[in-house]
Amino acid sequence: MTGVPEDHVWALQAGQIVSARSSEIPHLLATRKVPCVGLLRGKTGLAGAIVHLDTLKNAMQAISFSGLTYREMSRKLRVSSPTLRYLLDQGFLTTYNGQNPATLNETEIIPQVSIDAFLQQYVTPGRRAEAAGSSHFRSASKFLRSSIKSNK
């Protein structure tokens, strides 16, 4: 093929269009859940693969799961890995071991029900800072400086 038909996309761009993880598109192609409908002339493999956009969207909906992986949850809460591990160990959040549909590897998944319950009851400093914007950091810094007292 010399060009990409209107209702199709280039596989390397497909992840951005459907908000997929980088490993999901090759997995969908390898398992033939999304067939490659053609190759761009002069390209091989994923670099030239063309897929049908609607088929890709349907396949992405089928592999989604209700919850977040450990890394995704850390980003969502804006906390470090040790902080998230503490929240899990102390029972603030629950997990289950499930298969990541993109990689087919077993992974720790935090169910959406647990996430919603946590966010209704708690706010992490990172999420508060995000909501307050950059001015929050300046005001917090001023507060800390003004509250430090000299020992003299």
PDB file of all heavy atoms in Angstrom, residues 6 22 24 38 41 47 56 71-72 74 76 106 110 119 134 140 149 151-152:
ATOM      1  N   GLU A   6      -8.922   5.951   4.627  1.00  0.00           N
ATOM      2  CA  GLU A   6      -9.549   6.904   5.545  1.00  0.00           C
ATOM      3  C   GLU A   6      -9.968   6.304   6.886  1.00  0.00           C
ATOM      4  O   GLU A   6      -9.749   6.903   7.930  1.00  0.00           O
ATOM      5  CB  GLU A   6     -10.770   7.529   4.864  1.00  0.00           C
ATOM      6  CG  GLU A   6     -11.375   8.649   5.676  1.00  0.00           C
ATOM      7  CD  GLU A   6     -12.513   9.314   4.932  1.00  0.00           C
ATOM      8  OE1 GLU A   6     -12.399   9.534   3.724  1.00  0.00           O
ATOM      9  OE2 GLU A   6     -13.518   9.612   5.594  1.00  0.00           O
ATOM     10  N   SER A  22       1.753   1.251  25.365  1.00  0.00           N
ATOM     11  CA  SER A  22       2.656   0.956  24.255  1.00  0.00           C
ATOM     12  C   SER A  22       2.707  -0.526  23.914  1.00  0.00           C
ATOM     13  O   SER A  22       2.985  -0.896  22.780  1.00  0.00           O
ATOM     14  CB  SER A  22       4.062   1.464  24.566  1.00  0.00           C
ATOM     15  OG  SER A  22       4.549   0.854  25.739  1.00  0.00           O
ATOM     16  N   GLU A  24       0.132  -2.682  24.118  1.00  0.00           N
ATOM     17  CA  GLU A  24      -1.162  -3.250  23.736  1.00  0.00           C
ATOM     18  C   GLU A  24      -1.330  -3.450  22.231  1.00  0.00           C
ATOM     19  O   GLU A  24      -1.862  -4.469  21.807  1.00  0.00           O
ATOM     20  CB  GLU A  24      -2.304  -2.368  24.282  1.00  0.00           C
ATOM     21  CG  GLU A  24      -2.437  -2.484  25.773  1.00  0.00           C
ATOM     22  CD  GLU A  24      -3.446  -1.515  26.370  1.00  0.00           C
ATOM     23  OE1 GLU A  24      -3.616  -0.411  25.822  1.00  0.00           O
ATOM     24  OE2 GLU A  24      -4.048  -1.879  27.380  1.00  0.00           O
ATOM     25  N   GLY A  38      -2.856  -4.377   5.903  1.00  0.00           N
ATOM     26  CA  GLY A  38      -1.897  -4.086   4.847  1.00  0.00           C
ATOM     27  C   GLY A  38      -0.617  -3.516   5.420  1.00  0.00           C
ATOM     28  O   GLY A  38      -0.533  -3.207   6.606  1.00  0.00           O
ATOM     29  N   ARG A  41       4.265   0.478   1.738  1.00  0.00           N
ATOM     30  CA  ARG A  41       5.339   0.072   0.842  1.00  0.00           C
ATOM     31  C   ARG A  41       6.690   0.495   1.427  1.00  0.00           C
ATOM     32  O   ARG A  41       6.851   1.604   1.907  1.00  0.00           O
ATOM     33  CB  ARG A  41       5.149   0.719  -0.530  1.00  0.00           C
ATOM     34  CG  ARG A  41       6.196   0.278  -1.545  1.00  0.00           C
ATOM     35  CD  ARG A  41       5.904   0.761  -2.921  1.00  0.00           C
ATOM     36  NE  ARG A  41       4.671   0.108  -3.356  1.00  0.00           N
ATOM     37  CZ  ARG A  41       3.906   0.572  -4.334  1.00  0.00           C
ATOM     38  NH1 ARG A  41       4.216   1.677  -4.955  1.00  0.00           N
ATOM     39  NH2 ARG A  41       2.815  -0.066  -4.679  1.00  0.00           N
ATOM     40  N   ALA A  47       6.261  -1.234  11.913  1.00  0.00           N
ATOM     41  CA  ALA A  47       6.556   0.063  11.298  1.00  0.00           C
ATOM     42  C   ALA A  47       5.684   0.342  10.077  1.00  0.00           C
ATOM     43  O   ALA A  47       5.460   1.499   9.734  1.00  0.00           O
ATOM     44  CB  ALA A  47       8.023   0.140  10.916  1.00  0.00           C
ATOM     45  N   LEU A  56      -9.941  -1.817  15.988  1.00  0.00           N
ATOM     46  CA  LEU A  56      -9.009  -1.514  17.064  1.00  0.00           C
ATOM     47  C   LEU A  56      -9.748  -0.981  18.295  1.00  0.00           C
ATOM     48  O   LEU A  56      -9.501  -1.414  19.419  1.00  0.00           O
ATOM     49  CB  LEU A  56      -7.970  -0.498  16.597  1.00  0.00           C
ATOM     50  CG  LEU A  56      -6.970  -0.022  17.636  1.00  0.00           C
ATOM     51  CD1 LEU A  56      -6.118  -1.185  18.125  1.00  0.00           C
ATOM     52  CD2 LEU A  56      -6.102   1.076  17.064  1.00  0.00           C
ATOM     53  N   ARG A  71       1.615   0.852  39.014  1.00  0.00           N
ATOM     54  CA  ARG A  71       2.257   2.048  38.460  1.00  0.00           C
ATOM     55  C   ARG A  71       1.230   3.124  38.115  1.00  0.00           C
ATOM     56  O   ARG A  71       1.430   4.308  38.400  1.00  0.00           O
ATOM     57  CB  ARG A  71       3.082   1.680  37.228  1.00  0.00           C
ATOM     58  CG  ARG A  71       3.774   2.897  36.613  1.00  0.00           C
ATOM     59  CD  ARG A  71       4.670   2.502  35.501  1.00  0.00           C
ATOM     60  NE  ARG A  71       5.844   1.866  36.088  1.00  0.00           N
ATOM     61  CZ  ARG A  71       6.747   1.214  35.398  1.00  0.00           C
ATOM     62  NH1 ARG A  71       6.622   1.081  34.112  1.00  0.00           N
ATOM     63  NH2 ARG A  71       7.778   0.675  35.989  1.00  0.00           N
ATOM     64  N   GLU A  72       0.111   2.722  37.507  1.00  0.00           N
ATOM     65  CA  GLU A  72      -0.924   3.694  37.160  1.00  0.00           C
ATOM     66  C   GLU A  72      -1.516   4.349  38.404  1.00  0.00           C
ATOM     67  O   GLU A  72      -1.780   5.548  38.418  1.00  0.00           O
ATOM     68  CB  GLU A  72      -2.034   3.014  36.359  1.00  0.00           C
ATOM     69  CG  GLU A  72      -1.613   2.566  34.982  1.00  0.00           C
ATOM     70  CD  GLU A  72      -2.611   1.628  34.328  1.00  0.00           C
ATOM     71  OE1 GLU A  72      -3.377   0.949  35.038  1.00  0.00           O
ATOM     72  OE2 GLU A  72      -2.622   1.579  33.093  1.00  0.00           O
ATOM     73  N   SER A  74      -0.026   4.754  41.319  1.00  0.00           N
ATOM     74  CA  SER A  74       0.984   5.646  41.876  1.00  0.00           C
ATOM     75  C   SER A  74       0.929   7.004  41.176  1.00  0.00           C
ATOM     76  O   SER A  74       0.991   8.051  41.818  1.00  0.00           O
ATOM     77  CB  SER A  74       2.366   5.011  41.734  1.00  0.00           C
ATOM     78  OG  SER A  74       3.345   5.819  42.298  1.00  0.00           O
ATOM     79  N   LYS A  76      -1.719   8.230  39.515  1.00  0.00           N
ATOM     80  CA  LYS A  76      -3.027   8.845  39.763  1.00  0.00           C
ATOM     81  C   LYS A  76      -3.051   9.568  41.107  1.00  0.00           C
ATOM     82  O   LYS A  76      -3.546  10.685  41.211  1.00  0.00           O
ATOM     83  CB  LYS A  76      -4.128   7.799  39.713  1.00  0.00           C
ATOM     84  CG  LYS A  76      -5.527   8.372  39.954  1.00  0.00           C
ATOM     85  CD  LYS A  76      -6.574   7.283  39.839  1.00  0.00           C
ATOM     86  CE  LYS A  76      -7.962   7.802  40.064  1.00  0.00           C
ATOM     87  NZ  LYS A  76      -8.504   8.539  38.934  1.00  0.00           N
ATOM     88  N   GLU A 106       0.922 -11.679  34.884  1.00  0.00           N
ATOM     89  CA  GLU A 106       0.168 -11.488  36.118  1.00  0.00           C
ATOM     90  C   GLU A 106       0.671 -10.223  36.794  1.00  0.00           C
ATOM     91  O   GLU A 106       1.863  -9.970  36.870  1.00  0.00           O
ATOM     92  CB  GLU A 106       0.339 -12.684  37.049  1.00  0.00           C
ATOM     93  CG  GLU A 106      -0.603 -12.606  38.228  1.00  0.00           C
ATOM     94  CD  GLU A 106      -0.648 -13.884  39.027  1.00  0.00           C
ATOM     95  OE1 GLU A 106      -0.944 -14.927  38.429  1.00  0.00           O
ATOM     96  OE2 GLU A 106      -0.387 -13.824  40.229  1.00  0.00           O
ATOM     97  N   ILE A 110      -5.464  -2.823  41.326  1.00  0.00           N
ATOM     98  CA  ILE A 110      -6.254  -2.162  42.359  1.00  0.00           C
ATOM     99  C   ILE A 110      -7.639  -1.924  41.755  1.00  0.00           C
ATOM    100  O   ILE A 110      -7.772  -1.170  40.793  1.00  0.00           O
ATOM    101  CB  ILE A 110      -5.589  -0.839  42.787  1.00  0.00           C
ATOM    102  CG1 ILE A 110      -4.165  -1.125  43.278  1.00  0.00           C
ATOM    103  CG2 ILE A 110      -6.420  -0.141  43.862  1.00  0.00           C
ATOM    104  CD1 ILE A 110      -3.263   0.065  43.323  1.00  0.00           C
ATOM    105  N   LEU A 119     -10.628   7.546  47.343  1.00  0.00           N
ATOM    106  CA  LEU A 119     -10.665   8.949  46.925  1.00  0.00           C
ATOM    107  C   LEU A 119     -11.820   9.713  47.567  1.00  0.00           C
ATOM    108  O   LEU A 119     -11.744  10.934  47.710  1.00  0.00           O
ATOM    109  CB  LEU A 119     -10.729   9.043  45.403  1.00  0.00           C
ATOM    110  CG  LEU A 119      -9.455   8.598  44.680  1.00  0.00           C
ATOM    111  CD1 LEU A 119      -9.651   8.628  43.172  1.00  0.00           C
ATOM    112  CD2 LEU A 119      -8.266   9.447  45.090  1.00  0.00           C
ATOM    113  N   SER A 134       0.192  25.689  40.927  1.00  0.00           N
ATOM    114  CA  SER A 134       1.555  26.029  41.331  1.00  0.00           C
ATOM    115  C   SER A 134       1.584  27.010  42.496  1.00  0.00           C
ATOM    116  O   SER A 134       2.548  27.058  43.244  1.00  0.00           O
ATOM    117  CB  SER A 134       2.330  26.593  40.148  1.00  0.00           C
ATOM    118  OG  SER A 134       1.708  27.782  39.698  1.00  0.00           O
ATOM    119  N   ALA A 140       2.771  27.275  50.548  1.00  0.00           N
ATOM    120  CA  ALA A 140       3.232  26.291  51.531  1.00  0.00           C
ATOM    121  C   ALA A 140       4.658  26.597  51.952  1.00  0.00           C
ATOM    122  O   ALA A 140       4.999  26.515  53.127  1.00  0.00           O
ATOM    123  CB  ALA A 140       3.136  24.885  50.956  1.00  0.00           C
ATOM    124  N   LYS A 149      11.171  28.743  63.879  1.00  0.00           N
ATOM    125  CA  LYS A 149      11.616  29.672  64.914  1.00  0.00           C
ATOM    126  C   LYS A 149      13.079  29.418  65.231  1.00  0.00           C
ATOM    127  O   LYS A 149      13.539  28.278  65.210  1.00  0.00           O
ATOM    128  CB  LYS A 149      10.768  29.503  66.172  1.00  0.00           C
ATOM    129  CG  LYS A 149       9.319  29.854  65.938  1.00  0.00           C
ATOM    130  CD  LYS A 149       8.520  29.701  67.185  1.00  0.00           C
ATOM    131  CE  LYS A 149       7.062  30.031  66.879  1.00  0.00           C
ATOM    132  NZ  LYS A 149       6.195  29.806  68.000  1.00  0.00           N
ATOM    133  N   ASN A 151      16.327  29.040  67.604  1.00  0.00           N
ATOM    134  CA  ASN A 151      16.597  28.527  68.940  1.00  0.00           C
ATOM    135  C   ASN A 151      17.397  29.516  69.773  1.00  0.00           C
ATOM    136  O   ASN A 151      17.744  29.231  70.905  1.00  0.00           O
ATOM    137  CB  ASN A 151      17.354  27.193  68.866  1.00  0.00           C
ATOM    138  CG  ASN A 151      16.478  26.087  68.358  1.00  0.00           C
ATOM    139  OD1 ASN A 151      15.275  26.124  68.533  1.00  0.00           O
ATOM    140  ND2 ASN A 151      17.096  25.093  67.741  1.00  0.00           N
ATOM    141  N   LYS A 152      17.757  30.673  69.246  1.00  0.00           N
ATOM    142  CA  LYS A 152      18.572  31.656  69.971  1.00  0.00           C
ATOM    143  C   LYS A 152      17.751  32.440  70.949  1.00  0.00           C
ATOM    144  O   LYS A 152      16.673  32.759  70.881  1.00  0.00           O
ATOM    145  CB  LYS A 152      19.247  32.614  69.008  1.00  0.00           C
ATOM    146  CG  LYS A 152      20.264  31.894  68.138  1.00  0.00           C
ATOM    147  CD  LYS A 152      20.916  32.862  67.218  1.00  0.00           C
ATOM    148  CE  LYS A 152      21.892  32.165  66.310  1.00  0.00           C
ATOM    149  NZ  LYS A 152      22.533  33.022  65.393  1.00  0.00           N
TER     150      LYS A 152
END
